């Protein structure tokens, strides 16, 4: 069940509360039915390689929009949105290392930055719940658990690294339904990348996620894994561009795009 | 009905015949069930703008693969394929003007060229025929008719221009079926962009296509339009990069990718 207090308000209203720093936490469950998005913001000199990386890794990095160079505004994903202030928590990266976390990155903005808006699996949690599937990170009211895997992404230019996945425990009787519902929306990662055996994809301890918080796995439930838009952060750590801004895992941009609009 | 003599041979065999210049004509109906592709080959200095153009115009320019700079080979779409010889007819463009048509572009190759492999609607003609729909350009054994429309593409960097569409006449009783079948494969243009009224999209005379050859429209049939990968040629004419190689309309790269593999 989704009891998030921001479940039924509009993306525009939530972005305003985020801009005013009245919301600073993770966004799972907010604005049910609207697509949420990962950010990866890079200097133009890296933009071709990263755009190519997204083309070659579409399930991990499904692009919703790419901004014009230097622009803090978006044309199609969100109206009146300031990319530098409308996400609850950002990460600033220097040479592949985390330099800090901020609720506003205006002071870091540069005229050569290009913003990549990448679909997030939070977008399909509302239709899963509507279909009677308990989305544990929402019913337990915490960030989704995310794991670094042993799966290589397809390299492009300077960018390469391992895939990151999100996990939701699903009762064995509902796995097919969860798969078909999410397969309809490839722009927010689509169908699962793996079902059932964390060790096959290099996850040693399911109770210790690399990002986010652990979800309770109940009797009869199986861990189901989806590609995750935190993958660019794994790739940034590996490939070490001199400067990068991302969202903090789970602290997403909430777009104006209805999830149904993205369905195949 | 598909009576093309190359309907049932493999993509690898057809590419060999094309390389040997034993096949020089249009490719509709060849290698039924395998994806065919448009080419747009540009110097690296234009590659970011064009990749962004594809991201912003996915129905016109669904990318199947982007080569590494300077490489004449593909990694995922076709094995043992030489991009400079394995397409039956190429067009070389200089400053937005057509400089010539060739069956081999080896002599034009440069180390700074990047190849964009873009899905083609020929890929969904086999499943249309299997569903009992007469694909007129195949049963009449000619190139598909293509038209320049009045629909603007979404600009990116230097690239902008009007959309090109392909047309197949479909009996009114089969339009829904043709729509649902093609909607399954967005990577080869997906569902129609327009059904029924050529004048609404700027086509003045349906009997005079801008590229390819006219198809007979029979009693009870409606012209149905799909996005076309000749759009980059319209954009090249408008945006005038100093150098570009494309396929000639209808003379496609035949890939090793089964059309079913691309289905949602």
């Amino acid at each position: 069940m989704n009891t998030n207090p921001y479940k039924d308000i509009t993306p525009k209203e939530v972005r305003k509360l985020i801009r005013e720093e009245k919301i600073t936490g993770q966004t799972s469950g907010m604005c049910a039915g609207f697509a949420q998005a990962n950010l990866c913001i890079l200097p133009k000199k890296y933009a071709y390689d990263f755009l190519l990386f997204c083309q070659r890794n579409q399930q991990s990095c499904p692009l919703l929009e790419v901004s014009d160079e230097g622009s803090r505004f978006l044309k199609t994903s969100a109206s009146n949105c300031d990319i530098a202030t409308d996400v609850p928590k950002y990460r600033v990266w220097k040479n592949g290392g985390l330099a800090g976390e901020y609720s506003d990155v205006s002071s870091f903005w540069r005229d050569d930055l290009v913003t990549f808006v990448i679909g997030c699996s939070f977008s399909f949690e509302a239709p899963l719940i509507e279909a009677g599937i308990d989305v544990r990170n929402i019913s337990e009211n915490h960030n989704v658990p995310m794991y670094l895997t042993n799966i290589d992404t397809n390299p492009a230019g300077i960018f390469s690294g391992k895939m990151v996945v999100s996990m939701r425990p699903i009762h064995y009787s509902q796995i097919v339904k969860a798969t078909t519902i999410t397969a309809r929306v490839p722009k927010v990662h689509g169908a699962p990348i793996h079902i059932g055996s964390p060790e096959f994809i290099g996850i040693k301890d399911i109770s210790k996620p690399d990002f986010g918080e652990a979800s309770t796995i109940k009797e009869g439930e199986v861990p189901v894994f989806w590609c995750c838009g935190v993958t660019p952060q794994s790739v940034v750590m590996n490939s070490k561009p001199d400067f990068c801004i991302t969202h903090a895992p789970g602290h997403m941009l909430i777009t104006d795009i209805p999830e149904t609009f993205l369905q195949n």
Side-chain angles (χ1 to χ4, degrees), chain A:
Chain A
M1 209 180 132
N2 186 351
T3 57
N4 190 298
Y6 304 108
K7 169 176 175 277
D8 293 318
I9 72 170
T10 68
K12 193 176 174 182
E13 288 167 324
V14 162
R15 289 197 302 268
K16 182 167 181 288
L17 293 170
I18 290 169
R19 195 178 312 155
E20 293 166 350
E21 302 190 14
K22 289 171 183 162
I23 295 175
T24 56
Q26 64 90 19
T27 56
S28 174
M30 293 182 188
C31 303
F34 287 91
Q36 299 200 21
N38 305 272
L39 287 189
C40 186
I41 304 172
L42 286 160
K44 176 73 189 327
K45 65 181 172 179
Y46 300 116
Y48 178 72
D49 283 358
F50 192 74
L51 189 51
L52 190 59
F53 182 84
C54 294
Q55 195 279 322
R56 291 180 178 175
N57 296 279
Q58 293 181 40
Q59 202 171 353
S60 292
C61 300
L63 283 171
L64 298 177
E65 183 170 355
V66 181
S67 76
D68 287 327
E69 184 180 354
S71 172
R72 278 166 60 168
F73 297 91
L74 297 172
K75 287 180 179 171
T76 60
S77 315
S79 63
N80 297 310
C81 167
D82 182 345
I83 294 164
T85 61
D86 288 6
V87 162
K89 200 191 288 179
Y90 298 87
R91 290 181 154 187
V92 173
W93 303 80
K94 290 184 181 164
N95 302 311
L98 182 60
E101 289 195 329
Y102 305 88
S103 56
D104 181 325
V105 289
S106 303
S107 62
F108 294 95
W109 202 262
R110 303 164 20 171
D111 286 344
D112 66 341
L113 295 180
V114 177
T115 299
F116 296 83
V117 180
I118 296 166
C120 167
S121 60
F122 287 175
S123 315
F124 58 54
E125 292 180 330
L128 289 174
I129 292 168
E130 279 172 35
I133 296 170
D134 182 45
V135 174
R136 193 61 34 78
N137 47 294
I138 289 189
S139 59
E140 291 186 337
N141 195 27
H142 61 67
N143 200 349
V144 73
M146 293 163 267
Y147 304 85
L148 199 57
T149 70
N150 61 6
I151 306 170
D152 283 314
T153 57
N154 299 311
I158 69 155
F159 294 108
S160 63
K162 302 293 185 187
M163 190 185 285
V164 175
V165 295
S166 65
M167 189 280 286
R168 292 164 188 80
I170 307 284
H171 191 268
Y172 71 85
S173 66
Q174 295 179 307
I175 290 174
V176 171
K177 181 58 80 181
T179 300
T180 56
I181 288 173
T182 57
R184 282 178 210 144
V185 276
K187 280 288 180 189
V188 293
H189 303 302
I193 181 84
H194 184 75
I195 295 171
S197 304
E199 65 278 15
F200 287 2
I201 56 172
I203 298 169
K204 294 203 178 91
D205 186 347
I206 198 77
S207 72
K208 290 183 182 151
D210 296 293
F211 311 91
E213 293 163 68
S215 281
T216 311
I217 302 179
K218 298 180 183 172
E219 182 75 22
E221 290 181 342
V222 171
V224 179
F225 299 91
W226 280 268
C227 285
C228 179
V230 173
T231 299
Q233 300 186 36
S234 149
V235 164
V236 162
M237 282 185 261
N238 186 55
S239 308
K240 305 184 180 17
D242 57 24
F243 184 77
C244 180
I245 300 172
T246 68
H247 69 293
H251 299 67
M252 316 309 293
L253 173 69
I254 301 181
T255 78
D256 295 337
I257 307 168
E259 178 271 341
T260 48
F261 183 80
L262 297 176
Q263 286 180 14
N264 280 321

